[in-house]
Amino acid sequence: MRKQDIIANKFKRENLINIMAAYQLYYQITLGEIIEKSGFEKEKIVDLNLDIDPENVLNTMIEVINTFKKEDDFDSIFEDNMKINAMIHALKDFTLKYDELNKKENIYDVFYEKIINDQFFTLSMQVFFSEELKSRIDYWKKLISNETAKELKQSALKII
C-alpha cells in the first residue's frame, strides 16, 4: 500500500481518536506498573507531570508508516509498534524525570527488555485497557474535530 493511502486511512478522525486513546492508555498503564515496581511514592506522580505529547504520537505514527508500509500485515504491525512505543515513551519519561531513582539505567534496561520481548503487558493490564478504552475514546472525541484530523493528515502528507 502507498504511504499516502495509509496516511489517509490512519489520519481519519475516528482512527486518530482510537490511536491517541490507545496510546495514552498504554502509556499510563505502563507508568502505573513502573511506579509500583520501582517503589516511587504514588502521591508524587503529579509532581512529575507525565502524560503523552500528541505531537510525539503523530511523529511515531509517521515513523511506523514509513518503516513498515510494505508489510503484508501492516495493520497488526502498526498497532504493535504504537503499543511498544507508548510503553517505551512512558519508561523513558519516568526514568528521565524521577531524579531520585536508584540504579536508573538498570531499571530502564530491565523494563525495556520486558517491553521489547512482549513480557511486560500482563493479562490484568489488558483487561484494564479494555475496560478503560471507551472513556479515553470519549475524551479524545472532544479534542479531535474533523477539521483537526484533516489538518493533521495534510501535515503528515507534507512530511513524507
Side-chain angles (χ1 to χ4, degrees):
M1 188 180 289
R2 294 176 348 142
K3 280 193 283 190
Q4 292 84 352
D5 296 335
I6 295 171
I7 287 174
N9 180 41
K10 294 296 182 194
F11 281 77
K12 288 179 182 174
R13 180 176 183 258
E14 183 177 323
N15 290 337
L16 278 172
I17 289 167
N18 291 334
I19 291 166
M20 295 299 266
Y23 195 99
Q24 184 181 44
L25 201 46
Y26 285 127
Y27 182 97
Q28 291 176 339
I29 291 170
T30 300
L31 276 179
E33 183 71 7
I34 294 169
I35 287 166
E36 185 176 312
K37 299 286 191 224
S38 69
F40 184 77
E41 296 175 39
K42 293 179 184 176
E43 300 79 34
K44 292 185 178 182
I45 190 65
V46 175
D47 297 339
L48 295 181
N49 196 26
L50 297 172
D51 201 356
I52 64 167
D53 177 356
E55 187 174 335
N56 285 344
V57 178
L58 298 170
N59 288 333
T60 300
M61 289 173 64
I62 293 167
E63 184 178 319
V64 171
I65 291 167
N66 276 329
T67 304
F68 298 105
K69 64 187 173 290
K70 294 181 181 178
E71 299 296 325
D72 291 336
D73 53 349
F74 173 79
D75 287 328
S76 175
I77 291 171
F78 181 85
E79 286 181 34
D80 288 344
N81 272 270
M82 294 303 292
K83 175 182 172 182
I84 290 168
N85 274 286
M87 292 188 286
I88 291 172
H89 279 147
L91 174 60
K92 188 182 297 182
D93 287 353
F94 179 74
T95 55
L96 286 174
K97 289 193 176 186
Y98 181 23
D99 295 329
E100 301 162 15
L101 185 62
N102 294 324
K103 301 180 182 177
K104 222 180 242 208
E105 294 80 18
N106 186 38
I107 289 174
Y108 181 89
D109 291 343
V110 167
F111 282 109
Y112 182 86
E113 197 69 30
K114 286 181 178 184
I115 291 168
I116 293 298
N117 291 324
D118 199 22
Q119 299 169 339
F120 178 79
F121 207 72
T122 64
L123 181 58
S124 62
M125 290 177 185
Q126 184 61 48
V127 168
F128 182 77
F129 177 89
S130 297
E131 291 170 351
E132 289 294 314
L133 187 58
K134 171 82 171 85
S135 67
R136 298 304 164 105
I137 288 171
D138 290 342
Y139 170 81
W140 284 100
K141 279 182 181 177
K142 296 173 188 170
L143 297 177
I144 301 174
S145 66
N146 286 326
E147 186 60 33
T148 301
K150 187 177 179 180
E151 290 171 10
L152 292 171
K153 180 175 75 173
Q154 292 306 318
S155 294
L157 288 169
K158 287 178 186 176
I159 291 172
I160 63 159

PDB file of all heavy atoms in Angstrom, residues 68-91:
ATOM      1  N   PHE A  68       7.234   0.425   7.947  1.00  0.00           N
ATOM      2  CA  PHE A  68       6.562  -0.856   7.709  1.00  0.00           C
ATOM      3  C   PHE A  68       5.501  -0.820   6.610  1.00  0.00           C
ATOM      4  O   PHE A  68       4.729  -1.770   6.474  1.00  0.00           O
ATOM      5  CB  PHE A  68       5.922  -1.355   9.009  1.00  0.00           C
ATOM      6  CG  PHE A  68       6.918  -1.611  10.097  1.00  0.00           C
ATOM      7  CD1 PHE A  68       7.042  -0.727  11.162  1.00  0.00           C
ATOM      8  CD2 PHE A  68       7.743  -2.719  10.052  1.00  0.00           C
ATOM      9  CE1 PHE A  68       7.969  -0.959  12.167  1.00  0.00           C
ATOM     10  CE2 PHE A  68       8.669  -2.958  11.053  1.00  0.00           C
ATOM     11  CZ  PHE A  68       8.786  -2.077  12.113  1.00  0.00           C
ATOM     12  N   LYS A  69       5.456   0.204   5.812  1.00  0.00           N
ATOM     13  CA  LYS A  69       4.378   0.383   4.824  1.00  0.00           C
ATOM     14  C   LYS A  69       4.228  -0.774   3.846  1.00  0.00           C
ATOM     15  O   LYS A  69       3.146  -1.034   3.350  1.00  0.00           O
ATOM     16  CB  LYS A  69       4.582   1.687   4.065  1.00  0.00           C
ATOM     17  CG  LYS A  69       5.854   1.694   3.226  1.00  0.00           C
ATOM     18  CD  LYS A  69       6.118   3.045   2.628  1.00  0.00           C
ATOM     19  CE  LYS A  69       7.447   3.104   1.950  1.00  0.00           C
ATOM     20  NZ  LYS A  69       8.591   3.074   2.841  1.00  0.00           N
ATOM     21  N   LYS A  70       5.288  -1.492   3.570  1.00  0.00           N
ATOM     22  CA  LYS A  70       5.239  -2.559   2.563  1.00  0.00           C
ATOM     23  C   LYS A  70       4.903  -3.934   3.140  1.00  0.00           C
ATOM     24  O   LYS A  70       4.766  -4.892   2.389  1.00  0.00           O
ATOM     25  CB  LYS A  70       6.569  -2.631   1.819  1.00  0.00           C
ATOM     26  CG  LYS A  70       6.845  -1.392   0.991  1.00  0.00           C
ATOM     27  CD  LYS A  70       8.143  -1.490   0.245  1.00  0.00           C
ATOM     28  CE  LYS A  70       8.381  -0.211  -0.550  1.00  0.00           C
ATOM     29  NZ  LYS A  70       9.638  -0.224  -1.253  1.00  0.00           N
ATOM     30  N   GLU A  71       4.752  -4.022   4.432  1.00  0.00           N
ATOM     31  CA  GLU A  71       4.471  -5.307   5.072  1.00  0.00           C
ATOM     32  C   GLU A  71       3.034  -5.736   4.806  1.00  0.00           C
ATOM     33  O   GLU A  71       2.112  -4.916   4.837  1.00  0.00           O
ATOM     34  CB  GLU A  71       4.715  -5.224   6.576  1.00  0.00           C
ATOM     35  CG  GLU A  71       6.141  -4.888   6.955  1.00  0.00           C
ATOM     36  CD  GLU A  71       7.149  -5.945   6.548  1.00  0.00           C
ATOM     37  OE1 GLU A  71       6.813  -7.145   6.580  1.00  0.00           O
ATOM     38  OE2 GLU A  71       8.277  -5.567   6.198  1.00  0.00           O
ATOM     39  N   ASP A  72       2.840  -7.025   4.561  1.00  0.00           N
ATOM     40  CA  ASP A  72       1.503  -7.553   4.292  1.00  0.00           C
ATOM     41  C   ASP A  72       0.561  -7.390   5.481  1.00  0.00           C
ATOM     42  O   ASP A  72      -0.621  -7.126   5.310  1.00  0.00           O
ATOM     43  CB  ASP A  72       1.583  -9.036   3.912  1.00  0.00           C
ATOM     44  CG  ASP A  72       2.236  -9.239   2.558  1.00  0.00           C
ATOM     45  OD1 ASP A  72       2.209  -8.308   1.725  1.00  0.00           O
ATOM     46  OD2 ASP A  72       2.770 -10.336   2.331  1.00  0.00           O
ATOM     47  N   ASP A  73       1.091  -7.553   6.676  1.00  0.00           N
ATOM     48  CA  ASP A  73       0.267  -7.440   7.882  1.00  0.00           C
ATOM     49  C   ASP A  73       0.493  -6.090   8.566  1.00  0.00           C
ATOM     50  O   ASP A  73       0.649  -5.997   9.776  1.00  0.00           O
ATOM     51  CB  ASP A  73       0.531  -8.599   8.828  1.00  0.00           C
ATOM     52  CG  ASP A  73       2.008  -8.781   9.145  1.00  0.00           C
ATOM     53  OD1 ASP A  73       2.860  -8.157   8.481  1.00  0.00           O
ATOM     54  OD2 ASP A  73       2.315  -9.551  10.070  1.00  0.00           O
ATOM     55  N   PHE A  74       0.479  -5.041   7.750  1.00  0.00           N
ATOM     56  CA  PHE A  74       0.798  -3.692   8.225  1.00  0.00           C
ATOM     57  C   PHE A  74      -0.051  -3.270   9.423  1.00  0.00           C
ATOM     58  O   PHE A  74       0.474  -2.726  10.386  1.00  0.00           O
ATOM     59  CB  PHE A  74       0.658  -2.650   7.104  1.00  0.00           C
ATOM     60  CG  PHE A  74       0.809  -1.249   7.606  1.00  0.00           C
ATOM     61  CD1 PHE A  74       2.062  -0.738   7.864  1.00  0.00           C
ATOM     62  CD2 PHE A  74      -0.307  -0.456   7.878  1.00  0.00           C
ATOM     63  CE1 PHE A  74       2.212   0.543   8.370  1.00  0.00           C
ATOM     64  CE2 PHE A  74      -0.164   0.820   8.380  1.00  0.00           C
ATOM     65  CZ  PHE A  74       1.101   1.329   8.619  1.00  0.00           C
ATOM     66  N   ASP A  75      -1.359  -3.486   9.376  1.00  0.00           N
ATOM     67  CA  ASP A  75      -2.222  -3.006  10.461  1.00  0.00           C
ATOM     68  C   ASP A  75      -1.832  -3.619  11.804  1.00  0.00           C
ATOM     69  O   ASP A  75      -1.787  -2.923  12.822  1.00  0.00           O
ATOM     70  CB  ASP A  75      -3.692  -3.273  10.146  1.00  0.00           C
ATOM     71  CG  ASP A  75      -4.220  -2.336   9.075  1.00  0.00           C
ATOM     72  OD1 ASP A  75      -3.748  -1.178   8.993  1.00  0.00           O
ATOM     73  OD2 ASP A  75      -5.102  -2.753   8.311  1.00  0.00           O
ATOM     74  N   SER A  76      -1.524  -4.890  11.807  1.00  0.00           N
ATOM     75  CA  SER A  76      -1.100  -5.557  13.033  1.00  0.00           C
ATOM     76  C   SER A  76       0.251  -5.011  13.511  1.00  0.00           C
ATOM     77  O   SER A  76       0.443  -4.749  14.699  1.00  0.00           O
ATOM     78  CB  SER A  76      -1.012  -7.063  12.795  1.00  0.00           C
ATOM     79  OG  SER A  76      -0.505  -7.714  13.919  1.00  0.00           O
ATOM     80  N   ILE A  77       1.164  -4.847  12.580  1.00  0.00           N
ATOM     81  CA  ILE A  77       2.484  -4.297  12.911  1.00  0.00           C
ATOM     82  C   ILE A  77       2.350  -2.872  13.430  1.00  0.00           C
ATOM     83  O   ILE A  77       3.004  -2.487  14.401  1.00  0.00           O
ATOM     84  CB  ILE A  77       3.412  -4.354  11.679  1.00  0.00           C
ATOM     85  CG1 ILE A  77       3.766  -5.806  11.356  1.00  0.00           C
ATOM     86  CG2 ILE A  77       4.668  -3.519  11.886  1.00  0.00           C
ATOM     87  CD1 ILE A  77       4.485  -5.998  10.039  1.00  0.00           C
ATOM     88  N   PHE A  78       1.481  -2.096  12.803  1.00  0.00           N
ATOM     89  CA  PHE A  78       1.259  -0.713  13.227  1.00  0.00           C
ATOM     90  C   PHE A  78       0.772  -0.677  14.674  1.00  0.00           C
ATOM     91  O   PHE A  78       1.327   0.045  15.504  1.00  0.00           O
ATOM     92  CB  PHE A  78       0.241  -0.036  12.295  1.00  0.00           C
ATOM     93  CG  PHE A  78      -0.038   1.391  12.647  1.00  0.00           C
ATOM     94  CD1 PHE A  78       0.783   2.401  12.173  1.00  0.00           C
ATOM     95  CD2 PHE A  78      -1.121   1.732  13.453  1.00  0.00           C
ATOM     96  CE1 PHE A  78       0.531   3.730  12.498  1.00  0.00           C
ATOM     97  CE2 PHE A  78      -1.382   3.051  13.781  1.00  0.00           C
ATOM     98  CZ  PHE A  78      -0.554   4.049  13.305  1.00  0.00           C
ATOM     99  N   GLU A  79      -0.245  -1.463  14.989  1.00  0.00           N
ATOM    100  CA  GLU A  79      -0.788  -1.482  16.349  1.00  0.00           C
ATOM    101  C   GLU A  79       0.258  -1.926  17.371  1.00  0.00           C
ATOM    102  O   GLU A  79       0.389  -1.317  18.431  1.00  0.00           O
ATOM    103  CB  GLU A  79      -2.006  -2.399  16.419  1.00  0.00           C
ATOM    104  CG  GLU A  79      -3.237  -1.804  15.775  1.00  0.00           C
ATOM    105  CD  GLU A  79      -4.445  -2.712  15.884  1.00  0.00           C
ATOM    106  OE1 GLU A  79      -4.565  -3.425  16.910  1.00  0.00           O
ATOM    107  OE2 GLU A  79      -5.257  -2.710  14.951  1.00  0.00           O
ATOM    108  N   ASP A  80       0.995  -2.983  17.055  1.00  0.00           N
ATOM    109  CA  ASP A  80       2.032  -3.461  17.964  1.00  0.00           C
ATOM    110  C   ASP A  80       3.111  -2.412  18.195  1.00  0.00           C
ATOM    111  O   ASP A  80       3.558  -2.219  19.329  1.00  0.00           O
ATOM    112  CB  ASP A  80       2.683  -4.745  17.432  1.00  0.00           C
ATOM    113  CG  ASP A  80       1.788  -5.958  17.535  1.00  0.00           C
ATOM    114  OD1 ASP A  80       0.779  -5.900  18.279  1.00  0.00           O
ATOM    115  OD2 ASP A  80       2.083  -6.972  16.872  1.00  0.00           O
ATOM    116  N   ASN A  81       3.518  -1.740  17.137  1.00  0.00           N
ATOM    117  CA  ASN A  81       4.559  -0.725  17.268  1.00  0.00           C
ATOM    118  C   ASN A  81       4.077   0.496  18.039  1.00  0.00           C
ATOM    119  O   ASN A  81       4.844   1.076  18.812  1.00  0.00           O
ATOM    120  CB  ASN A  81       5.095  -0.319  15.896  1.00  0.00           C
ATOM    121  CG  ASN A  81       6.218  -1.198  15.456  1.00  0.00           C
ATOM    122  OD1 ASN A  81       7.374  -0.919  15.741  1.00  0.00           O
ATOM    123  ND2 ASN A  81       5.897  -2.301  14.780  1.00  0.00           N
ATOM    124  N   MET A  82       2.842   0.882  17.852  1.00  0.00           N
ATOM    125  CA  MET A  82       2.311   2.010  18.618  1.00  0.00           C
ATOM    126  C   MET A  82       2.247   1.655  20.104  1.00  0.00           C
ATOM    127  O   MET A  82       2.593   2.473  20.957  1.00  0.00           O
ATOM    128  CB  MET A  82       0.939   2.428  18.082  1.00  0.00           C
ATOM    129  CG  MET A  82       0.971   3.007  16.673  1.00  0.00           C
ATOM    130  SD  MET A  82       2.058   4.448  16.455  1.00  0.00           S
ATOM    131  CE  MET A  82       1.187   5.679  17.413  1.00  0.00           C
ATOM    132  N   LYS A  83       1.844   0.447  20.401  1.00  0.00           N
ATOM    133  CA  LYS A  83       1.791  -0.029  21.788  1.00  0.00           C
ATOM    134  C   LYS A  83       3.186  -0.023  22.408  1.00  0.00           C
ATOM    135  O   LYS A  83       3.397   0.517  23.498  1.00  0.00           O
ATOM    136  CB  LYS A  83       1.203  -1.440  21.811  1.00  0.00           C
ATOM    137  CG  LYS A  83       1.189  -2.107  23.159  1.00  0.00           C
ATOM    138  CD  LYS A  83       0.618  -3.517  23.014  1.00  0.00           C
ATOM    139  CE  LYS A  83       0.739  -4.332  24.258  1.00  0.00           C
ATOM    140  NZ  LYS A  83       0.220  -5.697  24.069  1.00  0.00           N
ATOM    141  N   ILE A  84       4.141  -0.596  21.715  1.00  0.00           N
ATOM    142  CA  ILE A  84       5.519  -0.658  22.217  1.00  0.00           C
ATOM    143  C   ILE A  84       6.093   0.741  22.396  1.00  0.00           C
ATOM    144  O   ILE A  84       6.724   1.038  23.413  1.00  0.00           O
ATOM    145  CB  ILE A  84       6.398  -1.514  21.282  1.00  0.00           C
ATOM    146  CG1 ILE A  84       5.994  -2.986  21.398  1.00  0.00           C
ATOM    147  CG2 ILE A  84       7.879  -1.333  21.585  1.00  0.00           C
ATOM    148  CD1 ILE A  84       6.582  -3.879  20.322  1.00  0.00           C
ATOM    149  N   ASN A  85       5.860   1.606  21.420  1.00  0.00           N
ATOM    150  CA  ASN A  85       6.363   2.980  21.524  1.00  0.00           C
ATOM    151  C   ASN A  85       5.752   3.719  22.704  1.00  0.00           C
ATOM    152  O   ASN A  85       6.450   4.466  23.399  1.00  0.00           O
ATOM    153  CB  ASN A  85       6.121   3.745  20.222  1.00  0.00           C
ATOM    154  CG  ASN A  85       7.222   3.521  19.230  1.00  0.00           C
ATOM    155  OD1 ASN A  85       8.308   4.045  19.377  1.00  0.00           O
ATOM    156  ND2 ASN A  85       6.959   2.711  18.218  1.00  0.00           N
ATOM    157  N   ALA A  86       4.468   3.521  22.956  1.00  0.00           N
ATOM    158  CA  ALA A  86       3.820   4.170  24.097  1.00  0.00           C
ATOM    159  C   ALA A  86       4.452   3.706  25.408  1.00  0.00           C
ATOM    160  O   ALA A  86       4.730   4.519  26.301  1.00  0.00           O
ATOM    161  CB  ALA A  86       2.324   3.866  24.094  1.00  0.00           C
ATOM    162  N   MET A  87       4.698   2.416  25.514  1.00  0.00           N
ATOM    163  CA  MET A  87       5.287   1.875  26.736  1.00  0.00           C
ATOM    164  C   MET A  87       6.726   2.362  26.917  1.00  0.00           C
ATOM    165  O   MET A  87       7.127   2.733  28.025  1.00  0.00           O
ATOM    166  CB  MET A  87       5.203   0.350  26.726  1.00  0.00           C
ATOM    167  CG  MET A  87       3.767  -0.141  26.842  1.00  0.00           C
ATOM    168  SD  MET A  87       3.590  -1.928  27.079  1.00  0.00           S
ATOM    169  CE  MET A  87       3.983  -2.542  25.465  1.00  0.00           C
ATOM    170  N   ILE A  88       7.486   2.400  25.849  1.00  0.00           N
ATOM    171  CA  ILE A  88       8.868   2.879  25.939  1.00  0.00           C
ATOM    172  C   ILE A  88       8.910   4.373  26.249  1.00  0.00           C
ATOM    173  O   ILE A  88       9.745   4.825  27.037  1.00  0.00           O
ATOM    174  CB  ILE A  88       9.661   2.527  24.665  1.00  0.00           C
ATOM    175  CG1 ILE A  88       9.867   1.010  24.597  1.00  0.00           C
ATOM    176  CG2 ILE A  88      10.990   3.262  24.615  1.00  0.00           C
ATOM    177  CD1 ILE A  88      10.466   0.511  23.302  1.00  0.00           C
ATOM    178  N   HIS A  89       7.990   5.137  25.670  1.00  0.00           N
ATOM    179  CA  HIS A  89       7.921   6.564  25.995  1.00  0.00           C
ATOM    180  C   HIS A  89       7.627   6.770  27.477  1.00  0.00           C
ATOM    181  O   HIS A  89       8.227   7.636  28.126  1.00  0.00           O
ATOM    182  CB  HIS A  89       6.865   7.275  25.152  1.00  0.00           C
ATOM    183  CG  HIS A  89       7.334   7.639  23.785  1.00  0.00           C
ATOM    184  ND1 HIS A  89       6.500   7.647  22.707  1.00  0.00           N
ATOM    185  CD2 HIS A  89       8.540   8.020  23.318  1.00  0.00           C
ATOM    186  CE1 HIS A  89       7.180   8.008  21.629  1.00  0.00           C
ATOM    187  NE2 HIS A  89       8.426   8.217  21.981  1.00  0.00           N
ATOM    188  N   ALA A  90       6.720   5.984  28.030  1.00  0.00           N
ATOM    189  CA  ALA A  90       6.407   6.085  29.455  1.00  0.00           C
ATOM    190  C   ALA A  90       7.639   5.748  30.293  1.00  0.00           C
ATOM    191  O   ALA A  90       7.961   6.460  31.250  1.00  0.00           O
ATOM    192  CB  ALA A  90       5.247   5.153  29.812  1.00  0.00           C
ATOM    193  N   LEU A  91       8.313   4.690  29.944  1.00  0.00           N
ATOM    194  CA  LEU A  91       9.523   4.284  30.657  1.00  0.00           C
ATOM    195  C   LEU A  91      10.592   5.364  30.590  1.00  0.00           C
ATOM    196  O   LEU A  91      11.180   5.739  31.601  1.00  0.00           O
ATOM    197  CB  LEU A  91      10.050   2.965  30.072  1.00  0.00           C
ATOM    198  CG  LEU A  91      11.381   2.454  30.603  1.00  0.00           C
ATOM    199  CD1 LEU A  91      11.317   2.199  32.105  1.00  0.00           C
ATOM    200  CD2 LEU A  91      11.784   1.184  29.846  1.00  0.00           C
TER     201      LEU A  91
END
